[in-house]
Amino acid sequence: MKRLLVTGGAGFIGSNFVHYWLREHPGQDVVVLDALTYAGNLANLAPVANNPRFSFVRGDICDLELVARILKERAIDCIVHFAAESHVDRSIVGPDEFIRTNVFGTHALLKAAREAWTVNGKMRSDVRFHHVSTDEVYGSLGSGDPPFTELTPYAPNSPYSASKAASDHLVRAYYHTYGLPVTTSNCSNNYGPYHFPEKLIPLMLVRALDGGLMPVYGQGENVRDWLYVEDHCRAIDAIVHRGRVGETYNVGGCNERRNIDIVRRLCEIIERRFAEDDALRVRFPKCPASKGRSVSELITFVDDRPGHDWRYAINTEKIRSELGFHPRVDFESGLERTVDWYLANEGWWRDVLSGAYRLVTSPRDA
């Protein structure tokens, strides 16, 4: 594969993937298509902006004419599709945009790819459409239930997960009906650099550093499996290059944690960083750690959100056995890296939280 189109490449996972791909595949070009909605940020791509193998197109994946033109003019032979409305809380308040982007947008991409990659009535075999999805399509697990596998029946419980389930089915249909060479990955919760601070880990971090309340749904007992974002990028690389066409691969971090345990661990790491570096006390005077107090005093429990899934867990046997993939970053070191990135990139998250990025008002975890 010579030329990738990465949709949603200015978002959290997409931008990390672009950085990863340009670093790991020096002979390949990357085109990013992103509408730059509230969570899309060109600053996420600043480190690669001057790379001659990188280019950016601002546009909507629902714009079939634009997508078709990019595929043709850029001779795209691989699409990695991240672009999605992805926040459960927002989907509860306003589901329409989730249906538009996640369902109609995915269909527009599939339709354009089918047209571009059909030559003399036959589908090319040297191309790939990779669709990035979520473990939330499988629904919710009880505390003693086995982890999700690729054969777990779909049971989405929010407008967000329902829209992603629909997009998964469209991708499958285009393979079985039209022979489009597709793969799909369903991943667990990601964390790491460039994570928009409405989700659990970055929200708790920036709230703690500014001395704001750290709101946690219910009693924080909900369980998620956490995957460091660079490991996710490695998994997609493996699937794109070695995955079987038409197959789905679950990607997890094998790190199940209760939300409250993650928040408390973040507090401990922040306190340790402040104890090690006096300059942090000057930079973040509102953080309790700047005065030697426990950061956990900021934790506050709030009413649970509607339809809050209890637990997600991923069985990764298929991607391990077929592609040899396993996460390299354990949760503890990944969390330390994440805290350090936010401490080192205060300007990034302050810019994100200003202006159009002022919507961080409630606890997030998925």
Side-chain angles (χ1 to χ4, degrees):
M1 297 169 189
K2 301 294 185 181
R3 297 177 184 87
L4 273 70
L5 174 64
V6 179
T7 70
F12 162 46
I13 306 176
S15 61
N16 275 280
F17 180 79
V18 171
H19 299 163
Y20 167 88
W21 199 271
L22 289 171
R23 182 181 71 244
E24 297 296 325
H25 299 283
Q28 300 179 12
D29 296 335
V30 173
V31 180
V32 166
L33 174 63
D34 199 297
L36 296 181
T37 55
Y38 80 95
N41 188 349
L42 276 178
N44 297 357
L45 297 169
V48 298
N50 295 322
N51 190 317
R53 295 185 292 111
F54 166 80
S55 59
F56 177 83
V57 178
R58 182 171 185 175
D60 190 338
I61 60 171
C62 293
D63 187 341
L64 180 60
E65 182 179 344
L66 172 63
V67 174
R69 186 167 67 249
I70 293 171
L71 296 182
K72 180 180 179 180
E73 293 179 354
R74 306 297 182 99
I76 300 296
D77 54 14
C78 180
I79 298 171
V80 181
H81 176 34
F82 292 99
E85 294 290 337
S86 65
H87 190 52
V88 174
D89 287 8
R90 291 178 184 269
S91 80
I92 294 170
V93 175
D96 290 6
E97 191 60 29
F98 287 73
I99 304 305
R100 178 187 178 276
T101 300
N102 299 354
V103 182
F104 290 99
T106 298
H107 183 244
L109 287 168
L110 290 164
K111 188 175 179 180
R114 178 194 172 204
E115 180 178 347
W117 293 342
T118 299
V119 180
N120 297 325
K122 293 185 179 181
M123 180 62 61
R124 289 171 55 185
S125 61
D126 61 339
V127 292
R128 179 66 59 91
F129 185 111
H130 181 73
H131 175 58
V132 181
S133 189
T134 171
D135 57 1
E136 296 190 42
V137 299
Y138 299 123
S140 182
L141 294 171
S143 57
D145 292 337
F148 301 129
T149 74
E150 290 80 0
L151 299 179
T152 299
Y154 276 29
N157 291 320
S158 71
Y160 161 60
S161 56
S163 68
K164 290 299 289 185
S167 67
D168 292 5
H169 292 320
L170 283 170
V171 172
R172 173 184 169 88
Y174 263 71
Y175 167 68
H176 285 280
T177 303
Y178 304 115
L180 188 72
V182 305
T183 47
T184 296
S185 55
N186 295 84
C187 70
S188 58
N189 280 34
N190 280 219
Y191 68 103
Y194 300 106
H195 203 173
F196 188 81
E198 67 179 355
K199 304 295 180 75
L200 181 70
I201 290 176
L203 176 61
M204 296 300 134
L205 272 173
V206 300
R207 284 291 184 88
L209 293 174
D210 272 350
L213 293 179
M214 302 168 69
V216 177
Y217 280 137
Q219 294 300 308
E221 298 289 331
N222 300 74
V223 176
R224 300 292 182 263
D225 173 43
W226 293 89
L227 175 69
Y228 191 66
V229 65
E230 185 170 305
D231 277 331
H232 187 192
C233 297
R234 291 179 45 249
I236 294 172
D237 189 351
I239 296 168
V240 166
H241 282 104
R242 305 193 304 279
R244 289 184 288 143
V245 171
E247 291 294 312
T248 293
Y249 295 88
N250 283 350
V251 185
C254 303
N255 286 303
E256 288 188 57
R257 297 288 191 281
R258 297 187 309 164
N259 289 344
I260 188 59
D261 294 333
I262 291 174
V263 175
R264 288 171 176 158
R265 186 66 187 122
L266 285 170
C267 292
E268 293 171 355
I269 296 172
I270 292 169
E271 290 167 9
R272 177 153 42 87
R273 291 294 186 270
F274 272 69
E276 296 167 345
D277 185 355
D278 288 339
L280 294 177
R281 301 173 184 267
V282 177
R283 288 175 55 198
F284 304 103
K286 295 181 181 179
C287 180
S290 68
K291 302 175 181 63
R293 303 200 313 267
S294 173
V295 178
S296 62
E297 69 182 43
L298 299 174
I299 297 173
T300 182
F301 296 101
V302 299
D303 291 342
D304 210 349
R305 74 178 176 208
H308 196 177
D309 290 337
W310 180 252
R311 170 178 168 249
Y312 304 141
I314 288 283
N315 181 316
T316 60
E317 174 58 30
K318 181 176 180 179
I319 194 169
R320 286 203 315 269
S321 61
E322 288 193 14
L323 307 182
F325 170 81
H326 59 85
R328 292 178 180 173
V329 181
D330 65 84
F331 185 71
E332 186 64 28
S333 61
L335 206 57
E336 298 260 359
R337 291 188 197 182
T338 302
V339 171
D340 289 341
W341 190 89
Y342 278 82
L343 289 173
N345 290 274
E346 180 186 358
W348 177 89
W349 55 262
R350 291 211 183 277
D351 286 345
V352 165
L353 292 177
S354 66
Y357 304 102
R358 62 181 179 276
L359 301 175
V360 181
T361 57
S362 61
R364 319 297 186 185
D365 74 344

